């Protein structure tokens, strides 16, 4: 039976979870004889109102390192949950979930798109302001990258499964953060926040500034550039814009921050130019030592997000004056507004 190393690792970890975690299959992604499960693995509180932290990978099959880092983070947390008293206590109050391989057929076939030729991160029913030609999403042909899917068609199976799973997790949560892991842009790892659809500031700008400020104070030598995604380009159909807008439209007084980790793959290519001729080369670290370094590189970020989720008073203030100050500081930093 055809399988993926990433899915094999997930299934191996599921067998060893015992009572420390829970696993479910969201759906199956299929193409001909290929049929892969899309797993969601959860740890911690089952209280619907508990704070939630989610990690997602493998939305774009070519960006395989995103799925691999997500699996590595899941494995580390699963082990800590077995013996670390601090993590065990933390997990009594929060919930952490992982969906590492959203597009397993794409990973297997080394394609950006899903089995139907659709870019899942261009597939939500959202139109952007002045997106870049083709890159921002289009409906010309599935033979071209960044294809959105047919106008008016339902979202793709994999995209809808992700949306449903995340919306269920955050529906009643007092505070939720998700981190979607990608690669393929720039020489530096970036933490992007909404919107992808517009260069206009999004409603919870003060939260991202508070989180960035906390990250800078806690780890002043970190290597992430924190910024709005639209500062680089805008796109149609971003799934996280869609989930955020839906959640904000339904729920009042709950905090949800969707983040995207865009790993700077140009640095890998710069250090090893020959890998550009490989199908996976532009998006993944192909040298063994760089691959291992990348798999362990973001453990501190996971730890930080867990701590931030557990201590929202450090960054997610509800004090009106402080919120206004942070929003103004954010606009000056990211949008040049004074």
């Amino acid at each position: 039976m055809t399988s993926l190393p990433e899915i094999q690792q997930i299934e191996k970890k599921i067998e060893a979870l015992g009572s420390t975690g829970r696993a479910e299959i969201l759906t199956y992604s299929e193409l001909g004889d290929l049929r892969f499960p899309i797993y969601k693995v959860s740890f911690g509180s089952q209280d619907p109102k508990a704070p939630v932290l989610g990690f997602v990978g493998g939305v774009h099959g070519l960006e395989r390192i995103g799925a691999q880092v997500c699996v590595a983070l899941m494995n580390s947390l699963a082990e800590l949950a077995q013996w670390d008293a601090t993590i065990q206590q933390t997990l009594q109050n929060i919930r952490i979930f992982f969906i590492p391989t959203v597009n397993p057929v794409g990973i297997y076939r080394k394609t950006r798109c899903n089995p139907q030729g659709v870019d899942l991160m261009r597939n939500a029913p959202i139109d952007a302001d002045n997106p870049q030609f083709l890159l921002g999403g289009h409906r010309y042909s599935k033979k071209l990258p960044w294809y959105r899917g047919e106008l008016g068609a339902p979202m793709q199976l994999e995209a809808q499964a992700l949306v449903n799973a995340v919306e269920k997790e955050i529906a009643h949560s007092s505070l939720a953060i998700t981190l979607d892991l990608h690669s393929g842009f720039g020489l530096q790892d970036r933490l992007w926040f909404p919107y992808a659809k517009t260069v206009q500031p999004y409603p919870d700008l003060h939260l991202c500034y508070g989180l960035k400020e906390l990250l800078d104070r806690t780890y002043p030598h970190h290597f992430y550039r924190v910024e709005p995604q639209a500062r680089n380009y805008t796109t149609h159909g971003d799934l996280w814009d869609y989930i955020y807008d839906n959640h904000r439209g339904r729920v009042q007084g709950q905090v949800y921050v969707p983040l995207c980790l865009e790993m700077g793959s140009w640095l890998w290519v710069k250090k090893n130019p020959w890998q550009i001729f490989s199908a996976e080369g532009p998006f993944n670290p192909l040298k063994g030592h760089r691959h291992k370094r990348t798999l362990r590189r973001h453990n501190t970020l996971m730890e930080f997000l867990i701590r931030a989720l557990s201590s929202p008073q450090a960054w997610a203030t509800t004090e009106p004056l402080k919120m206004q100050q942070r929003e103004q500081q954010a606009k000056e930093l990211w949008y040049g507004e004074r």
Side-chain angles (χ1 to χ4, degrees):
M1 179 179 177
T2 303
S3 188
L4 284 174
E6 293 83 359
I7 290 180
Q8 291 174 341
Q9 291 178 45
I10 294 169
E11 291 174 341
K12 182 178 179 180
K13 185 56 63 178
I14 289 172
E15 292 177 1
L17 282 178
S19 60
T20 60
R22 306 171 296 280
E24 62 179 296
I25 295 175
L26 300 178
T27 190
Y28 287 87
S29 182
E30 301 180 83
L31 178 66
D33 294 334
L34 297 174
R35 187 172 189 262
F36 297 118
I38 300 175
Y39 282 104
K40 173 171 161 280
V41 182
S42 305
F43 302 85
S45 174
Q46 298 189 59
D47 180 356
K49 297 181 180 180
V52 175
L53 174 60
F55 295 89
V56 173
V59 172
H60 293 139
L62 268 178
E63 301 168 22
R64 191 169 193 165
I65 189 63
Q68 293 171 341
V69 170
C70 195
V71 171
L73 293 175
M74 182 196 75
N75 286 339
S76 293
L77 184 71
E79 291 300 322
L80 289 170
Q82 297 279 354
W83 61 267
D84 187 322
T86 301
I87 285 292
Q88 291 170 350
Q89 184 175 5
T90 299
L91 288 174
Q92 292 178 13
N93 301 311
I94 71 170
R95 182 166 57 257
I96 304 175
F97 70 89
F98 297 84
I99 309 175
T101 55
V102 175
N103 181 14
V105 173
I107 295 173
Y108 180 82
R109 299 178 68 219
K110 301 181 181 180
T111 62
R112 180 181 178 89
C113 61
N114 79 332
Q116 281 66 50
V118 175
D119 185 330
L120 298 178
M121 202 47 71
R122 304 289 188 274
N123 189 226
I126 290 181
D127 292 329
D129 299 335
N130 301 315
Q132 282 80 351
F133 179 64
L134 295 183
L135 171 65
H138 64 87
R139 292 196 168 96
Y140 297 121
S141 169
K142 65 177 62 178
K143 295 180 180 180
L144 298 173
W146 309 298
Y147 179 63
R148 298 181 64 185
E150 295 182 10
L151 179 63
M155 278 196 292
Q156 294 294 301
L157 180 76
E158 299 86 356
Q160 191 64 64
L162 174 62
V163 169
N164 291 346
V166 174
E167 288 187 337
K168 181 179 178 181
E169 285 286 351
I170 70 176
H172 305 288
S173 174
S174 58
L175 171 62
I177 301 172
T178 53
L179 181 70
D180 186 16
L181 295 103
H182 290 259
S183 65
F185 182 86
L187 294 166
Q188 182 179 4
D189 292 348
R190 300 162 190 260
L191 282 175
W192 282 342
F193 57 85
Y195 278 124
K197 66 180 181 179
T198 178
V199 296
Q200 298 302 313
Y202 92 116
D204 288 323
L205 191 60
H206 67 282
L207 292 173
C208 287
Y209 187 84
L211 199 60
K212 176 193 182 300
E213 190 178 49
L214 184 63
L215 178 63
D216 290 345
R217 292 202 319 266
T218 308
Y219 301 105
H221 306 295
H222 73 79
F223 43 76
Y224 301 104
R225 178 182 294 181
V226 184
E227 62 185 3
Q229 178 175 339
R231 192 173 186 178
N232 300 284
Y233 55 85
T234 58
T235 67
H236 297 301
D238 186 272
L239 294 177
W240 301 108
D241 285 5
Y242 180 73
I243 294 171
Y244 172 82
D245 283 344
N246 284 351
H247 185 70
R248 185 168 179 268
R250 288 193 300 260
V251 180
Q252 300 296 322
Q254 294 174 218
V255 173
Y256 172 48
V257 179
L259 300 173
C260 173
L261 170 57
E262 185 76 12
M263 289 176 271
S265 67
W266 297 0
L267 185 61
W268 304 324
V269 175
K270 180 181 178 182
K271 291 182 176 180
N272 181 32
W274 289 106
Q275 73 178 55
I276 197 71
F277 298 105
S278 164
E280 295 179 293
F283 305 98
N284 301 278
L286 300 188
K287 293 286 187 179
H289 66 283
R290 294 194 187 108
H291 184 260
K292 289 182 179 179
R293 183 186 304 134
T294 305
L295 292 182
R296 63 176 181 264
R297 181 177 174 89
H298 304 289
N299 284 315
T300 300
L301 178 60
M302 180 174 72
E303 176 186 317
F304 169 78
L305 292 176
I306 291 173
R307 292 174 182 270
L309 190 77
S310 302
S311 304
Q313 72 281 357
W315 61 281
T317 182
T318 57
E319 182 184 341
L321 181 58
K322 189 65 174 176
M323 291 168 63
Q324 184 178 0
Q325 289 174 341
R326 286 181 176 171
E327 182 171 354
Q328 184 58 40
Q329 290 169 320
K331 288 181 177 179
E332 291 177 7
L333 174 63
W334 289 313
Y335 301 94
E337 297 183 19
R338 293 186 178 275

